[in-house]
Amino acid sequence: MKRLLLISLLLFACMQIMPAAVFDVTRFGALGNGSDLDTKAIQAAIDKCHSAGGGRVYVPAGTYIVGTLNLKSNVEFYLENGAVLKATTDLSQYQRHNAELAGIFYTEKSDNVSIIGNGCIDGNGMSFMEPGKEKVIGDYEKKFTRQGLEFRKVTGEHGDGPLYPKDRYHQMIVFSECTDITLSDFKCKDSPYWCFVIVHCEGVKIHGLYIDNDLLIPNGDGIDVISCSDVTISDCRIYAGDDAIVLAGYGWHHGDPGFKNIRKPSRNIKVDNCILQSRSSGIRIGGNDLNSMSDYSFSNISIFDSNRGINISVSDSSSLENMTFNNIHIETRLHTGDWWGQGEPIKISAMVLLPDRQEIGVIRNLFFNNITCTGENSIIMIADKQTQLQNIYFNNFEFILRKSAIEDVAGGNYDLRLNAYPDKSLYATDIPAVYIENAANVYFNQGNIGWKGADKPYHTYAIDAVDVDGLRISNTTACPSPAHPELPALRTRDCTGVHDGILR
């Protein structure tokens, strides 16, 4: 009996250390010479790996020109150091899912699937842009700004972009209705649209990715995790023309690949130890959502040289709640070009998107701890009358509003697009360091609100609050802008339950 047990244990140990079956793409005809199309050969290796019960698809060093590939269950796709998957410019090589073309990977209804290794996925994004032709904000959108038609005007060759896109594939890497996904250690560069969309999935681990999208490419998001649960994103560097990380509850998105209009909540998502740069938002949460979002946590994150830091919004019926932000450093500035955002370190908004749709969800229970922000616009918290921002806490914080190098062409405005009100979308306004409208239970404890050279006439109060029920400020130093030293640090209008604990 003991002998049989020993043999069984030895067999089990051998099984544990036996390598998985390896399927080298070059043995299926992939050339990796940077000119021939290798899609069919690589797909043949994926299909064989899957039919054999799973294993590793191995991509050795080389440059492999590809259209759309489909990963499958139990396939580990391994990019060796020096291996590059490069997107072909021939749009006929990409699969159409919903109304739009998917990019290099489209994977759906698969389990235990991964992309790992130290190689690179190159979206070839600049090949899908019009060289030197920039997207600009329309004249109608500019009409409510302080500068009018001169808003964000660029002198010289170009400003912060974005360039105008040609026809292009959309999301470069798509996972839809999948479980147990691992994405680890490889590099992505120059996606011509969102780099990743992970939608209607559960059990996702993203670790150590380096996403280096060209900052002039519009819609060039880093990682979009949509209507998913049980997700971790850690130790990533993401530089993106559009939002660096998006967590949202869409069921559908303009016919893009992967979206199935599935109704289920998005919850239990954790983002740690990431460095982010964006021409839009470093972190964007919510939007036009049909699925509720809850129980997200963010820690040890640096957002630099971005248009917005953290952007939290609802504009449809679903709510957003129970989110924590710990040890976050944010640095934002005003940008030129047709990007959403206006230099806000933090923006929290609940505003209806369509005039005939009045139902809107609630944003509540947001906890910010150990937050430092330096930006060129207000921290904004604003809600329509149909709803209310509830229970927002800042503890151990510093907010500094600084002078902008392009304030003459961009300063003194808020950008709350998209919403149903043209005059409250992109519009001129005074700029306090913190602006709050229509909220309940907003607390500031142990912090500092200050200014750095921001001395335009529109720079005003440290905190300007309208229609807030329960505003508590304690152990906080604050002062009005250098332009108006005669103003109080705090202005309240139609507020109740105010505790002014500003240390003057």
Side-chain angles (χ1 to χ4, degrees), residues 421-443:
Y421 320 109
D423 61 339
K424 289 295 182 182
S425 292
L426 186 57
Y427 63 99
T429 183
D430 287 343
I431 307 295
V434 179
Y435 180 76
I436 314 165
E437 181 177 333
N438 191 19
N441 302 326
V442 181
Y443 296 168

Side-chain angles (χ1 to χ4, degrees), residues 146 334 375-378 401-404 407 411-412 429-433 451-462 480-485 487:
R146 188 175 299 275
L334 298 177
E376 296 179 356
N377 208 336
S378 309
L401 201 158
R402 71 181 178 192
K403 186 179 184 67
S404 171
E407 60 187 13
T429 183
D430 287 343
I431 307 295
W451 307 78
K452 186 176 180 181
D455 56 1
K456 287 289 188 181
Y458 51 73
H459 291 127
T460 56
Y461 308 91
S481 82
H484 296 285
L487 293 178

Side-chain angles (χ1 to χ4, degrees), residues 45-282:
I46 293 170
D47 294 344
K48 185 65 176 178
C49 179
H50 171 68
S51 65
R56 170 177 287 184
V57 172
Y58 177 74
V59 185
T63 298
Y64 301 82
I65 306 299
V66 294
T68 305
L69 299 165
N70 306 117
L71 295 177
K72 298 181 178 179
S73 294
N74 301 315
V75 171
E76 177 190 85
F77 194 89
Y78 185 89
L79 289 163
E80 183 58 85
N81 209 350
V84 179
L85 295 186
K86 187 168 184 177
T88 177
T89 57
D90 180 359
L91 292 178
S92 70
Q93 300 300 315
Y94 298 100
Q95 297 172 5
R96 190 172 300 277
H97 293 274
N98 296 329
E100 302 292 348
L101 297 176
I104 292 177
F105 286 103
Y106 181 86
T107 304
E108 69 175 13
K109 296 182 180 178
S110 296
D111 176 65
N112 186 29
V113 61
S114 61
I115 305 173
I116 64 172
N118 294 311
C120 177
I121 300 174
D122 182 351
N124 205 5
M126 291 301 286
S127 296
F128 299 97
M129 301 295 120
E130 295 282 0
K133 184 178 179 182
E134 295 184 26
K135 285 178 89 254
V136 296
I137 298 173
D139 288 351
Y140 180 79
E141 290 181 280
K142 295 177 182 178
K143 68 181 290 187
F144 298 105
T145 66
R146 188 175 299 275
Q147 293 80 10
L149 296 180
E150 300 295 300
F151 179 68
R152 297 191 189 175
K153 183 177 180 180
V154 176
T155 57
E157 184 179 353
H158 62 77
D160 295 310
L163 296 177
Y164 200 87
K166 306 174 187 176
D167 289 341
R168 52 183 169 168
Y169 65 81
H170 277 211
Q171 284 81 357
M172 187 167 83
I173 300 171
V174 180
F175 289 90
S176 177
E177 294 187 87
C178 296
T179 56
D180 295 332
I181 302 165
T182 299
L183 305 168
S184 178
D185 297 328
F186 57 94
K187 178 180 180 179
C188 291
K189 61 178 290 188
D190 288 353
S191 176
Y193 200 82
W194 303 2
C195 190
F196 288 88
V197 64
I198 301 167
V199 58
H200 311 313
C201 295
E202 295 188 10
V204 182
K205 297 177 183 177
I206 301 172
H207 175 80
L209 297 190
Y210 174 28
I211 298 175
D212 188 16
N213 285 346
D214 195 296
L215 297 178
L216 294 178
I217 292 178
N219 312 110
D221 292 15
I223 299 172
D224 287 54
V225 177
I226 313 296
S227 299
C228 295
S229 293
D230 304 332
V231 179
T232 62
I233 301 172
S234 62
D235 299 285
C236 294
R237 289 184 294 156
I238 304 174
Y239 310 139
D242 217 304
D243 306 309
I245 294 177
V246 177
L247 307 179
Y250 318 148
W252 188 255
H253 190 271
H254 306 298
D256 278 333
F259 290 87
K260 304 294 183 64
N261 243 332
I262 294 171
R263 299 291 187 272
K264 68 175 185 179
S266 173
R267 57 195 175 202
N268 301 331
I269 298 179
K270 184 177 183 181
V271 182
D272 291 330
N273 304 319
C274 292
I275 299 172
L276 311 174
Q277 181 186 18
S278 171
R279 288 285 183 261
S280 195
S281 299

Side-chain angles (χ1 to χ4, degrees), residues 400-414:
I400 302 297
L401 201 158
R402 71 181 178 192
K403 186 179 184 67
S404 171
I406 63 168
E407 60 187 13
D408 289 341
V409 297
N413 302 283
Y414 282 170

Side-chain angles (χ1 to χ4, degrees), residues 327-349:
N327 303 323
I328 313 290
H329 175 73
I330 300 170
E331 183 263 316
T332 60
R333 66 175 176 87
L334 298 177
H335 284 65
T336 60
D338 189 11
W339 302 110
W340 288 356
Q342 188 65 13
E344 314 94 336
I346 299 171
K347 182 191 79 78
I348 305 169
S349 65

